[in-house]
Amino acid sequence: MKLWFKSASLAVCLLVLAAPLPAQNDGVDVRLNPRVGLYQSLTSLAEVEQAGETVAAELGGALSLGLALQLDLGMMPIGIRANLDYVTGAEVYWEDGGIRTAEGEATVLAAAGDVMVRVLPRSFVVSPYLFAGGGLKQYDFTLSPDSSIEEFRNESDPTFHFGGGVDLGLGPLSVNAEIGDYVSWFEPDPLLEAREQHDLFVSIGLSIGLI
C-alpha cells in the first residue's frame, strides 16, 4: 500500500511539473503568492498500547508560511503552480487520556506541484479555485534529551496535495485565502506500522502579478 502511494504521488508531481507552458502572447498570467496562516495535524504520528490503553504521539498546531509561483493559462480555467508550505515549532507530545506530555518540537516542509481549476475566471472580482497535485513532505524532529520517543527519526515522504481557495480583487494585486491538505504515510520506526497523515494548512496571502 505504501509503495503504491509513493509511486502514485511521484507520478502526479512529475506530470504537473512536466506540463508544457504556453507562450507569453497566449495570455499567460504569472503570479507570486506569499502566504501566512495556521497549521494543524489531523492525525496521530503513532499509537502504542500501554497498560491496556492507547497512547498517541501528536503534533500540535503552529504558525505556517507558504509561497507559490503560479501560472494561469490565459482564458482557460486551468493553471499550474509550484507550492511550498513550512511549519516551525510544532510541539511533539504524547496524549494519554487528555494529559499531554511534551517531548520536543518538529518542523514540517512540504513542496508540491499542483494543477489548479478555477470555478470562475480571474476576470471576476471573486475567483474560487480548486487544486490537486503531489510532491514531497519532510518531518524534522528536535526531541528533548529525556524524550521517550527516541525512535522518531527525520523522514521525507511522497505526498498528495489537494484543497481550494479564493482570489479577491482584480489587476496585478489581489488577496487570497486557501485551505490545503497534504496526505502522506509516516513510519516513525520500521517496527511500527506506517500511518496515514493529514497535515492541514489554512492561510491568507497576496497574489502578485509578475507578467
Side-chain angles (χ1 to χ4, degrees), residues 29-106:
D29 185 16
V30 181
R31 307 185 75 86
L32 191 66
N33 178 211
R35 303 185 306 274
V36 63
L38 296 175
Y39 160 83
Q40 182 63 56
S41 176
L42 302 181
T43 47
S44 302
L45 291 171
E47 291 184 353
V48 297
E49 294 292 332
Q50 292 184 357
E53 295 185 358
T54 299
V55 181
E58 308 279 1
L59 267 181
L63 178 71
S64 69
L65 300 174
L67 182 65
L69 182 63
Q70 172 185 324
L71 294 92
D72 286 327
L73 306 184
M75 296 303 294
M76 297 177 62
I78 297 177
I80 60 175
R81 72 174 183 179
N83 188 72
L84 289 173
D85 282 296
Y86 179 69
V87 178
T88 184
E91 184 184 26
V92 182
Y93 61 91
W94 285 112
E95 183 166 345
D96 182 6
I99 300 175
R100 291 189 177 188
T101 304
E103 299 287 347
E105 293 185 346

Side-chain angles (χ1 to χ4, degrees), residues 157-172:
D157 297 304
T159 182
F160 284 131
H161 185 218
F162 67 93
V166 61
D167 287 322
L168 303 172
L170 294 172

Side-chain angles (χ1 to χ4, degrees), residues 122-208:
R122 290 196 60 88
S123 56
F124 286 74
V125 175
V126 178
S127 179
Y129 59 88
L130 302 173
F131 60 84
L136 291 173
K137 182 166 59 177
Q138 173 74 29
Y139 294 96
D140 289 306
F141 296 97
T142 303
L143 302 177
S144 58
D146 58 347
S147 171
S148 60
I149 52 176
E150 297 176 355
E151 68 272 15
F152 274 31
R153 58 188 180 183
N154 298 340
E155 182 171 340
S156 180
D157 297 304
T159 182
F160 284 131
H161 185 218
F162 67 93
V166 61
D167 287 322
L168 303 172
L170 294 172
L173 183 64
S174 61
V175 177
N176 84 311
E178 181 173 301
I179 181 170
D181 186 10
Y182 288 91
V183 185
S184 63
W185 291 84
F186 178 73
E187 188 177 43
D189 184 271
L191 299 179
L192 297 177
E193 180 182 359
R195 294 180 56 83
E196 183 177 336
Q197 297 299 315
H198 290 266
D199 292 304
L200 188 70
F201 290 80
V202 179
S203 60
I204 59 174
L206 296 175
S207 181
I208 305 168

